[in-house]
Amino acid sequence: MNASNSVGISAISETDLTPIADKVYAGVRISDEEALLLFEKGSLGFTGALANFIREKKHGNTTYFNRNFHIEPTNVCVFSCTFCAYSRLYANREEGWELSINQMVDLVKSYDGKPITEVHIVGGVHPKMNMAYFIELIQKIKAHRPGLHVKAFTAVELDYMFRKAKLSNEEGLRQLQAAGLESLPGGGAEIFHPDIRNQIAADKVSGEGWLNIHETAHKLGMHSNATLLYGHIESFVHRIDHMRKLRDLQDRTGGFNTFIPLKFRNENNDMSYVPESSVAEDMRMYAISRIYLDNFPHLKAYWPMLGRQHAQLSLSFGVNDIDGTIDDSTKIYSMAGSEEQTPTMTTTELVRLIKQAKRRPVERDTLYNELNDFSELTEMDILN
Ligand code: V47
Ligand code: SF4
């Protein structure tokens, strides 16, 4: 299909971008140079229309969410990422928290009888919480609730754990998988390019190290997500470099489920001097990543970070997944200045938000199996 015949595009007349629109409508992958052109010249309307075309081709009106909660074992961390408002150094650990295995299992037990399908476990890199600790934690969670999907540990936490235990990535992942680990979340990716990574996350796992852990997990049959922390000191070229590395890896393994752009929030951290991106920039980021990452099945807006109103808007800019109910169980974003100070949404609220955007709310499990279609249910029917 030619762009000039395409609904919504002809009126925009961004002539040098027309070949990109033609590619998108023909299902052809765009190049890095074309992605840069979109970042530099693509208007909100133009990029949004293309991203929405892809979103509707892949998923129609379906918008996924899941019913999950987070466990953050600790915010004590050996690293000092400049954007992080959440962590406390070991020397200052009395300002932070450290949960025991029993406390975390009790948290899991507090969801007994509730229709939760996933627990997401991530936190700081605590020097005393090692492989044995986390293996015991996962085993106890699975013993208590075998059907609960355990999505746990960023590649940053895993890299530190494996190095301390003197294990290769493969051996470490095999041991955690045997304990019950089922998939990896996408955190810790930040920006892979060393020019930026060395300034904002100098001492933790490199971009190559992050990619290697995810590649190894995919080879062992685990799925994972990928994030990109944007809107700070990086340039468009760094964002594209990051997404190219993810696209290449996905071509090799097919193991990524979801891409999650994370908007930099600037409160209470060492980068508070950097202004936050505008809503228009956020929506363009979603749209261009939807266009560029043609081999990623899903694009997620993480509402506790973006805010629920903007997450709703993102459903017209390529996003087809709005994460989960979360249940006030994460502090990463409230501490960094997100307007979501108590990140809890009931199923009714999530469904309402999706329906208001004229999309079809579908509950999924972690691996995107469809569990419940909420489009015909009234609010009275929904059991939160
Ligand atoms: O890696 C920390 C980010 C990430 C700030 O896989 C910040 O389903 C913005 O990755 N401003 C952890 N971002 C959270 C994460 C995640 C969240 C939800 C779902 C999934 C998933 C993954 O949070 C960190 C870092 O990139 N982060 N501080 C900040 N000030
Ligand atoms: Fe530690 Fe993660 Fe914060 Fe970096 S972003 S300081 S690794 S908790």
Side-chain angles (χ1 to χ4, degrees):
M1 189 193 295
N2 185 290
S4 54
N5 300 326
S6 319
V7 181
I9 299 297
S10 55
I12 295 163
S13 114
E14 296 184 48
T15 343
D16 45 354
L17 300 180
T18 302
I20 302 180
D22 286 337
K23 274 191 164 182
V24 170
Y25 286 113
V28 175
R29 174 170 281 190
I30 69 161
S31 68
D32 291 6
E33 293 69 29
E34 288 164 332
L36 186 59
L37 211 55
L38 285 179
F39 272 120
E40 287 177 343
K41 300 201 169 161
S43 68
L44 191 55
F46 183 84
T47 54
L50 293 183
N52 194 50
F53 172 82
I54 299 168
R55 186 252 202 251
E56 292 187 356
K57 192 166 133 191
K58 282 183 187 286
H59 304 291
N61 266 329
T62 300
T63 298
Y64 292 110
F65 67 95
N66 73 347
R67 297 204 240 195
N68 64 349
F69 66 100
H70 287 218
I71 296 180
E72 296 179 351
T74 183
N75 66 340
V76 173
C77 190
V78 298
F79 300 120
S80 311
C81 303
T82 52
F83 56 83
C84 183
Y86 161 88
S87 66
R88 295 293 175 270
L89 287 171
Y90 188 65
N92 304 326
R93 62 189 181 283
E94 68 287 348
E95 294 171 12
W97 68 88
E98 295 163 318
L99 300 184
S100 67
I101 291 177
N102 285 343
Q103 283 174 311
M104 292 189 266
V105 174
D106 282 347
L107 258 172
V108 173
K109 288 181 179 164
S110 71
Y111 289 93
D112 283 358
K114 294 192 181 155
I116 295 281
T117 60
E118 173 192 283
V119 58
H120 176 152
I121 310 174
V122 287
V125 179
H126 192 295
K128 301 263 160 71
M129 292 182 181
N130 57 16
M131 271 301 274
Y133 190 83
F134 287 120
I135 284 178
E136 187 183 337
L137 172 67
I138 299 173
Q139 283 171 336
K140 287 193 165 156
I141 292 175
K142 291 302 275 187
H144 179 72
R145 192 160 171 175
L148 190 65
H149 185 107
V150 177
K151 179 177 87 178
F153 311 127
T154 65
V156 177
E157 294 164 275
L158 294 171
D159 171 70
Y160 185 84
M161 236 188 270
F162 299 161
R163 281 190 293 115
K164 269 202 116 169
K166 300 199 178 3
L167 294 172
S168 66
N169 289 341
E170 182 172 338
E171 188 45 39
L173 281 166
R174 276 189 195 283
Q175 288 189 17
L176 291 170
Q177 191 177 27
L181 178 71
E182 285 157 292
S183 56
L184 306 188
E190 324 310 358
I191 287 277
F192 294 142
H193 198 289
D195 287 355
I196 302 300
R197 197 171 188 84
N198 289 339
Q199 293 182 64
I200 64 167
D203 40 4
K204 70 188 190 186
V205 67
S206 66
E208 288 69 40
W210 188 100
L211 289 158
N212 185 274
I213 286 178
H214 282 254
E215 180 156 17
T216 310
H218 297 171
K219 285 186 180 148
L220 294 176
M222 284 187 251
H223 281 81
S224 72
N225 294 334
T227 57
L228 182 160
L229 179 69
Y230 72 91
H232 45 92
I233 58 168
E234 88 291 359
S235 70
F236 295 143
V237 170
H238 297 121
R239 293 187 199 180
I240 296 165
D241 174 79
H242 188 99
M243 292 196 290
R244 187 187 53 259
K245 287 169 179 157
L246 291 173
R247 193 168 79 172
D248 287 350
L249 175 50
Q250 180 76 333
D251 276 343
R252 291 200 298 280
T253 67
F256 287 118
N257 278 332
T258 318
F259 180 62
I260 314 162
L262 294 173
K263 171 194 177 85
F264 165 68
R265 310 297 317 220
N266 71 0
E267 271 182 33
N268 304 315
N269 57 38
D270 292 341
M271 288 170 73
S272 294
Y273 63 91
V274 178
E276 289 182 358
S277 52
S278 66
V279 187
E281 288 166 316
D282 295 335
M283 295 306 130
R284 276 172 17 93
M285 179 65 214
Y286 283 109
I288 297 169
S289 55
R290 181 61 287 174
I291 296 165
Y292 183 86
L293 291 173
D294 60 339
N295 56 2
F296 270 64
H298 305 286
L299 180 66
K300 184 194 283 191
Y302 185 52
W303 64 264
M305 170 271 293
L306 192 62
R308 59 194 82 189
Q309 304 280 342
H310 295 160
Q312 188 183 46
L313 187 62
S314 74
L315 300 182
S316 299
F317 289 86
V319 168
N320 69 297
D321 182 345
I322 201 153
D323 204 273
T325 41
I326 318 278
D327 204 27
D328 194 16
S329 48
T330 175
K331 297 191 179 60
I332 298 179
Y333 292 103
S334 44
M335 290 170 86
S338 168
E339 46 276 66
E340 299 292 344
Q341 289 302 306
T342 50
T344 304
M345 264 207 267
T346 61
T347 306
T348 307
E349 288 169 318
L350 261 174
V351 165
R352 190 185 301 144
L353 188 139
I354 294 167
K355 281 186 174 174
Q356 282 170 348
K358 305 297 167 219
R359 299 297 194 190
R360 173 178 163 253
V362 174
E363 183 191 357
R364 62 164 174 87
D365 66 12
T366 311
L367 302 177
Y368 289 84
N369 297 303
E370 296 194 0
L371 302 180
N372 288 304
D373 181 344
F374 281 86
S375 52
E376 300 303 330
L377 292 183
T378 66
E379 295 196 358
M380 293 295 284
D381 297 326
I382 301 172
L383 201 67
N384 285 298

